[in-house]
Amino acid sequence: MNKIPSPAAPLMRSKVSTFVDDFMAQVEQRNPDEPEFLQAVREVVSSLVVVLQKHPEYRKANILDRMVEPERVIQFRVPWMNDADEVQVNRGLRVEFSSAIGPYKGGLRFHPSVNLSILKFLGFEQVFKNSLTTLPIGGGKGGADFDPKGKSDNEVMRFCQSFMSELYRHIGPNTDVPAGDIGVGGREIGYLFGQYKRLTNEFTGAITGKAFKWGGSHIRPEATGYGMVYFAAAMLETQGQSLEGKTCLVSGAGNVAQYAVEKISELGGKVVTLSDTSGLIHDPDGISTEKLQWVMSLKNKRRGRIEEYVEAFPTAHFTGADPTLQSNPLWAIAADCAFPCATQNELNAKDAEHLVANGVKVVCEGANMPTTPEAVDHLLDAKILYGPGKAANAGGVAVSALEMAQNSMRLTWSREEVDQRLQEIMRSIHDTCAEAAETYGTPGNYVNGANIAGFCKVADAMIDQGLV
Ligand code: NDP
Ligand code: 2IT
């Protein structure tokens, strides 16, 4: 355990960073080659020094060292046959990070980039996020380095069935409850649940994101995007503002981005961008309801590229993705609000400079850790309203927990009821983060607020439950 700066001493920036550096040196030594995980841990630990100073009980129980170690990591082989009758092998993983406040809960990601570092960063973030939701869920994350892009429905089904043939023994409605994430949407959840049910001979809420007709919850598909917009609206409200009339940038074109566009438009904002791995579209007229329906059909049914948008709507422009560029042209478009909804580290320091120079008021994260640490510092220094993903995108997992509750009761709530609960939860997360930031001396800093409030609940539960 590292030495925390004494509570009696004034909390100098240099002492904080010495503690963080020493702590991170240990974490790095134990987890080499896990840059995303180390990035996520560093951010959280940097927020927590003030809490550890005030709470000797957390130091005595060595909570921080315990929290950065997942309770369990499962890795398995996923063999499957493609349409050409060729044997394929992928790697499956489930990181069961913390069950301090409830069953492990978090999504599955199918993407070629998936590895232990990425799933540990996502699982670690999930612990704090789930704690903030007010609901009894622990944290986990899983997935595979499988790329659903370009695969037939039958190939995706065979992959999902093979993946679940191992995962089923580790999950359950009171143990670990997976859901979707990048590359895992309604189609994949259907195949995964079908195989789970077949193997266990039980119809239970062991997976969320199910279709409404067979055990899902209203508003779960919408929840992450809607929740993020509710969070942004709450941040704006603290400055007497709203989304009405605001020009907004949204990145991504998947589940989170789509419903972010829908809710921003409903609240009077104008979304002018979307993107995918092929590049970005800029539609200065705004993405109307009709255009959004077209994007949903493109992405969720035809599974095409965002580039096709400009053929359907010629007033828009397409810019192809260029990995040699040092910044993303999407974030250089002048706007009032920015909503990164694609993937981690998609908004860097240069991008943040562009946003600030263009007078952005809000940056609110639908994706997990989309903003690099340098970019976050830049936004905070510029006093931009910045909503970190673990708070702002918690609406998805919150409605997953409401799906679990409905499954346990064998009842379903109406759209209105679930949306009402989602709005209350996002409001509560916002207020909790704002209060924690204020209590610990950094008013308006939602990063510190989210990390501190998320941490304290889990830490208290760990102390109550003893050394397990
Ligand atoms: P989807 O798979 O539905 O969509 C992801 C979108 O981001 C796609 O447009 C995809 O492009 C793009 N994208 C993915 N990876 C990259 C990359 N490396 N570079 C550029 N673009 C990329 O995923 P979701 O919308 O569900 O997830 C988006 C983000 O939101 C993720 O960070 C996820 O962890 C987070 N999140 C999701 C929640 C949920 O409920 N689904 C809840 C909370 C957070 P393409 O179409 O070309 O693949
Ligand atoms: O990152 C996330 O919060 C999700 N992908 C949703 C997890 C869930 O269990 O609904």
Side-chain angles (χ1 to χ4, degrees), residues 296-316:
M296 287 179 169
S297 167
L298 172 81
K299 284 293 178 187
N300 311 343
K301 296 203 174 87
R302 291 188 283 124
R303 298 181 191 272
R305 318 303 305 139
I306 199 68
E307 196 172 349
E308 294 171 40
Y309 184 98
V310 296
E311 290 157 28
F313 308 107
T315 52

Side-chain angles (χ1 to χ4, degrees), residues 63-350:
I63 292 292
L64 214 48
D65 287 46
R66 288 159 64 190
M67 266 197 200
V68 297
E69 198 65 29
E71 287 178 19
R72 188 179 298 112
V73 177
I74 301 144
Q75 182 181 314
F76 49 99
R77 177 168 68 194
V78 188
W80 58 282
M81 192 77 89
N82 71 12
D83 288 343
D85 277 350
E86 293 161 342
V87 172
Q88 309 290 307
V89 182
N90 286 98
R91 179 172 290 175
L93 282 156
R94 184 76 181 163
V95 179
E96 296 183 334
F97 224 110
S98 168
S99 61
I101 61 171
Y104 309 108
K105 180 83 198 88
L108 295 172
R109 177 176 290 192
F110 291 168
H111 192 272
S113 64
V114 162
N115 58 31
L116 187 59
S117 172
I118 289 188
L119 294 183
K120 278 175 67 180
F121 117 62
L122 289 164
F124 184 73
E125 291 283 287
Q126 199 82 47
V127 175
F128 301 91
K129 183 196 303 193
N130 293 4
S131 163
L132 289 170
T133 63
T134 71
L135 301 165
I137 38 177
K141 201 84 187 189
D145 58 354
F146 170 76
D147 189 357
K149 222 176 275 168
K151 304 289 190 301
S152 70
D153 286 353
N154 274 328
E155 287 178 320
V156 170
M157 181 176 73
R158 287 195 293 273
F159 175 80
C160 288
Q161 290 178 341
S162 181
F163 183 86
M164 189 50 78
S165 296
E166 173 59 33
L167 188 68
Y168 87 97
R169 46 184 121 250
H170 308 290
I171 65 174
N174 299 311
T175 308
D176 183 355
V177 186
D181 193 79
I182 290 179
V184 178
R187 174 182 60 170
E188 290 75 17
I189 293 292
Y191 295 147
L192 290 163
F193 185 75
Q195 184 72 352
Y196 176 81
K197 182 167 61 80
R198 186 183 193 190
L199 291 168
T200 58
N201 198 27
E202 277 189 344
F203 198 114
T204 64
I207 301 180
T208 60
K210 301 184 291 298
F212 180 71
K213 285 182 207 160
W214 44 270
S217 173
H218 279 307
I219 305 282
R220 177 61 189 87
E222 295 89 339
T224 311
Y226 279 18
M228 175 196 65
V229 178
Y230 294 144
F231 193 91
M235 288 197 297
L236 277 164
E237 210 180 284
T238 63
Q239 299 189 348
Q241 297 190 54
S242 78
L243 279 161
E244 181 75 42
K246 300 270 189 308
T247 299
C248 301
L249 308 175
V250 172
S251 66
N255 172 266
V256 180
Q258 291 168 15
Y259 289 103
V261 174
E262 186 166 284
K263 187 52 76 177
I264 291 166
S265 309
E266 213 179 290
L267 298 185
K270 179 166 89 164
V271 179
V272 295
T273 60
L274 281 173
S275 67
D276 68 9
T277 41
S278 74
L280 72 99
I281 58 106
H282 178 204
D283 186 344
D285 294 343
I287 300 170
S288 61
T289 310
E290 179 216 349
K291 291 172 180 173
L292 178 62
Q293 286 309 315
W294 184 92
V295 170
M296 287 179 169
S297 167
L298 172 81
K299 284 293 178 187
N300 311 343
K301 296 203 174 87
R302 291 188 283 124
R303 298 181 191 272
R305 318 303 305 139
I306 199 68
E307 196 172 349
E308 294 171 40
Y309 184 98
V310 296
E311 290 157 28
F313 308 107
T315 52
H317 319 282
F318 173 74
T319 307
D322 180 353
T324 63
L325 290 179
Q326 295 198 336
S327 61
N328 182 344
L330 192 151
W331 306 124
I333 295 168
D336 305 302
C337 312
F339 298 95
C341 297
T343 193
Q344 63 274 358
N345 293 327
E346 57 163 315
L347 196 164
N348 66 22
K350 268 255 162 305

Side-chain angles (χ1 to χ4, degrees), residues 396-416:
V397 74
V399 174
S400 276
L402 300 182
E403 182 173 330
M404 290 164 69
Q406 292 168 83
N407 290 164
S408 296
M409 293 188 294
R410 299 185 193 284
L411 289 174
T412 53
W413 293 325
S414 68
R415 268 189 87 79
E416 292 68 31

